[in-house]
């Protein structure tokens, strides 16, 4: 054991788990899931590998815990993007507010959304399952808004909601991949133009 490690203060298991999860997220974003081993995580946190195993018994448990934490954060952002509102509120304005909050959330926490929108090579099945759960939540939000915006019109709401979510996911990927070129303001200008065309 190195001197640096020997001098580290003893941390609670809860704090250590957060450190380990933070390091795992950094490694996934930088190098993908294949590079995110227990040894690599230990090196990133500068702790002995047994300390990582003390926090999580194996890589599967660690990845599951990371996904649950990031999904919880993402779901909170999604829920806040669609707050309770009056039935008298303009549904088009609600859609714009929803899109703006989502764009801002992606810009403020790209690492969380990268897991959902830009899965790295070798993404485990458990990750895809979590992404599918998140997508179902967003689909329900989008469908409810579209039902109000196009009330009384002959529109396949399921296909429309899927189209909106697919577009939103692609815009989110652009926000993450090239944040200088694709800013929330640019995204919102496009969303406003698209809604004007669709509701004309």
């Amino acid at each position: 054991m190195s001197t640096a490690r020997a001098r580290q203060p003893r941390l609670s298991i809860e704090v250590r788990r957060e450190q380990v999860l933070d390091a795992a997220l950094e490694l996934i974003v930088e190098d993908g899931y294949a590079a995110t081993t227990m040894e690599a995580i230990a090196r990133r946190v500068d702790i002995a590998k047994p300390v990582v195993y003390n926090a999580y018994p194996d890589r599967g448990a660690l990845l599951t815990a990371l996904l649950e934490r990031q999904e919880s954060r993402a779901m909170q952002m999604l829920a806040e993007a669609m707050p309770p509102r009056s039935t008298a509120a303009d549904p088009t304005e609600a859609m714009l507010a929803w899109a703006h909050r989502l764009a801002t959330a992606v810009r403020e926490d790209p690492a969380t959304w990268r897991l959902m929108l830009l899965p790295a090579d070798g993404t485990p099945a458990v990750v895809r399952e979590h992404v599918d759960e998140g997508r179902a939540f967003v689909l329900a939000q989008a469908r409810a808004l579209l039902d109000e915006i196009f009330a009384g019109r002959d529109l396949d709401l399921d296909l429309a909601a899927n189209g909106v979510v697919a577009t939103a996911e692609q815009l989110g990927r652009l926000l993450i991949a090239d944040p200088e070129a694709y800013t929330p303001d640019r995204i919102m200008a496009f969303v406003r133009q698209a809604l004007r065309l669709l509701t004309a």
Side-chain angles (χ1 to χ4, degrees):
M1 180 180 292
S2 70
T3 303
R5 286 180 183 167
R7 290 176 180 169
Q8 282 192 348
R10 181 177 295 277
L11 301 176
S12 70
I13 190 64
E14 292 78 14
V15 171
R16 188 63 81 190
R17 282 175 177 152
E18 285 300 303
Q19 282 186 333
V20 167
L21 293 182
D22 289 342
L25 179 59
E26 290 173 4
L27 286 166
I28 291 168
V29 168
E30 293 171 10
D31 302 314
Y33 285 93
T36 309
T37 63
M38 302 297 262
E39 183 175 353
I41 292 167
R43 286 197 304 269
R44 176 61 61 100
V45 183
D46 193 23
I47 56 177
K49 191 160 65 169
V51 178
V52 179
Y53 280 102
N54 186 46
Y56 295 100
D58 54 49
R59 184 172 179 269
L62 190 154
L63 290 179
T64 298
L66 174 63
L67 288 166
E68 288 175 350
R69 186 186 76 170
Q70 300 309 117
E71 183 184 45
S72 176
R73 292 177 180 177
M75 287 299 179
Q76 182 177 351
M77 294 177 207
L78 290 172
E80 290 171 354
M82 184 66 74
R85 60 192 183 83
S86 164
T87 55
D90 181 351
T92 301
E93 289 301 317
M95 175 69 86
L96 288 170
W98 179 72
H100 182 264
R101 290 188 183 100
L102 288 180
T104 301
V106 172
R107 185 64 179 263
E108 291 178 349
D109 190 1
T112 288
W113 293 99
R114 183 180 291 274
L115 288 184
M116 311 296 173
L117 299 174
L118 291 168
D121 292 341
T123 301
V126 65
V127 177
R128 292 192 294 271
E129 292 169 7
H130 279 262
V131 170
D132 288 343
E133 290 173 9
R135 183 175 289 115
F137 184 79
V138 177
L139 274 170
Q141 287 187 323
R143 194 184 191 285
L145 275 178
L146 290 170
D147 191 22
E148 292 186 54
I149 293 172
F150 296 99
R153 300 194 196 184
D154 185 17
L155 178 69
D156 188 323
L157 288 173
D158 288 330
L159 287 178
N162 274 281
V164 166
V165 170
T167 301
E169 288 177 345
Q170 179 58 23
L171 294 176
R173 293 184 192 104
L174 293 173
L175 275 165
I176 294 168
D178 193 351
E180 297 303 317
Y182 299 97
T183 64
D185 287 344
R186 183 179 179 187
I187 297 297
M188 288 309 302
F190 167 76
V191 172
R192 288 188 187 93
Q193 291 170 344
L195 278 174
R196 277 200 298 270
L197 291 172
L198 291 171
T199 57

